[in-house]
Amino acid sequence: MQDKTVLITGANDGIGRATAERLAEKGYHLVLACRDETKAQRTADELVRQTGNELIDTIPLDLADLSSVRAASELFLAEHPRLDVLINNAGVYSDKLTLTQDGYELQFGVNHLGHFLLTLNLLPAMQCSNLCTRVINVSSALHAKAGIDFGNLRGERGAQAYDGGKAYAQSKLANVLFTKELDRRHGTELTTNCLHPGVVGTSLANKHGKLLTKTIWSLYKPFARTPKRGADTSVYLASSPEVREVSGRYFNPSQCLVKPSPTACNEQLAGRLWDYSEEAVRDYLL
Ligand SMILES: NC(=O)c1ccc[n+]([C@@H]2O[C@H](COP(=O)([O-])OP(=O)(O)OC[C@H]3O[C@@H](n4cnc5c(N)ncnc54)[C@H](OP(=O)(O)O)[C@@H]3O)[C@@H](O)[C@H]2O)c1
């Protein structure tokens, strides 16, 4: 049994669920942070049954709503003295322009901004763990296909001009830039790494994708990695002693350290994204 608490976002499905199962088997105390409380509780009950680990809690978290992120942070801090591993895993893919509760483009809002706020709000609990804390951001190799379009993060260019694939790639680039900037700012207190899990047969593209995207994804799914294999690098970064002191890096699906795109290594861009994000979440910071 580990004396370590792990919070995983989007732990009721796909890679997040598989990550939770593997870490539950290792005896970690898990907090499943999910937007659908019924699905989260069902997952927690199944994990207890499957793994015999009873240290599995749930917390409501809708990353598309900054007030929900703040409430989840407050609840976590009230109930848990310490956070050892934060896995920012939840993600959404959408072909249609949709805005979050706070008016941000959905993929940027959920995949980056919600996690940015959650991480900043939970820093007090992470700094208690004395240099042993790990933050893990689940990105994607698709991060290399985009830049950050600061003039369109609220969908300003309209639905006609919306390119869902590009917006998804942009949000995954934001995950890498956030990893690097969090490491630069807090690298003496905690480690932060990000990863590409591989192409994994989950429901990611089936939820808000166009019919064509859903069809292509469904045909491809049987050839993709299983969610269990897709969880390999998240589990490695959360638990392996090999990466205890590694920070600010990007890992591939085989747990190898690789270089992200040149844009993802742009320090000025990482700083600008941090400033933008901090301003965007200012009213919800604890
Ligand atoms: N699958 C791939 O090939 C692949 C490749 C590269 C990177 N990734 C990344 O891997 C991560 C996990 O994706 P997946 O493939 O496992 O997809 P998935 O099966 O669709 O799981 C995504 C999880 O995120 C949750 N989520 C979505 N919107 C949310 C919100 N507003 N608030 C809180 N939780 C929310 C979902 O909750 P619900 O169940 O309620 O929808 C679900 O638990 C994502 O960050 C994704 O970008 C996936």
Side-chain angles (χ1 to χ4, degrees), residues 10-16 34-36 39 61-64 89-92 110 138-140 168 172 196-200 202-204 207 217:
N12 61 265
D13 207 354
I15 300 165
C34 306
R35 62 175 164 175
D36 182 330
K39 267 163 97 177
L61 168 72
D62 182 355
L63 290 156
N89 161 84
V92 64
V110 170
V138 181
S139 178
S140 164
Y168 177 76
K172 296 286 113 183
H196 170 49
V199 179
V200 186
T202 65
S203 308
L204 184 68
K207 291 175 180 166
W217 187 248

Side-chain angles (χ1 to χ4, degrees), residues 164-179:
K166 212 166 161 188
Y168 177 76
Q170 169 178 260
S171 73
K172 296 286 113 183
L173 170 64
N175 296 154
V176 187
L177 292 166
F178 174 48
T179 299

Side-chain angles (χ1 to χ4, degrees), residues 18-81:
T19 305
E21 186 174 331
R22 304 258 304 270
L23 293 176
E25 281 164 357
K26 289 178 183 284
Y28 285 88
H29 176 185
L30 299 187
V31 180
L32 316 181
C34 306
R35 62 175 164 175
D36 182 330
E37 288 186 64
T38 313
K39 267 163 97 177
Q41 194 49 55
R42 198 186 313 133
T43 304
D45 293 343
E46 284 167 11
L47 292 179
V48 171
R49 247 194 334 271
Q50 280 169 14
T51 66
N53 181 344
E54 296 197 339
L55 291 172
I56 302 179
D57 298 326
T58 64
I59 205 167
L61 168 72
D62 182 355
L63 290 156
D65 178 355
L66 295 174
S67 64
S68 164
V69 179
R70 183 186 160 107
S73 318
E74 283 174 330
L75 195 59
F76 181 89
L77 293 172
E79 291 181 357
H80 305 274

Side-chain angles (χ1 to χ4, degrees), residues 2 4 6 19 22-23 26 28 84-85 87 131-136 191 193 231-247 251 254-256:
Q2 309 269 343
K4 290 210 161 122
V6 183
T19 305
R22 304 258 304 270
L23 293 176
K26 289 178 183 284
Y28 285 88
D84 299 282
V85 184
I87 308 182
L131 284 172
C132 297
T133 311
R134 301 174 183 208
V135 176
I136 297 154
T191 66
N193 291 296
D232 283 350
T233 307
S234 294
V235 172
Y236 171 75
L237 290 175
S239 59
S240 171
E242 280 174 22
V243 281
R244 204 179 166 279
E245 291 178 9
V246 177
S247 189
F251 288 77
S254 310
Q255 299 85 63
C256 295

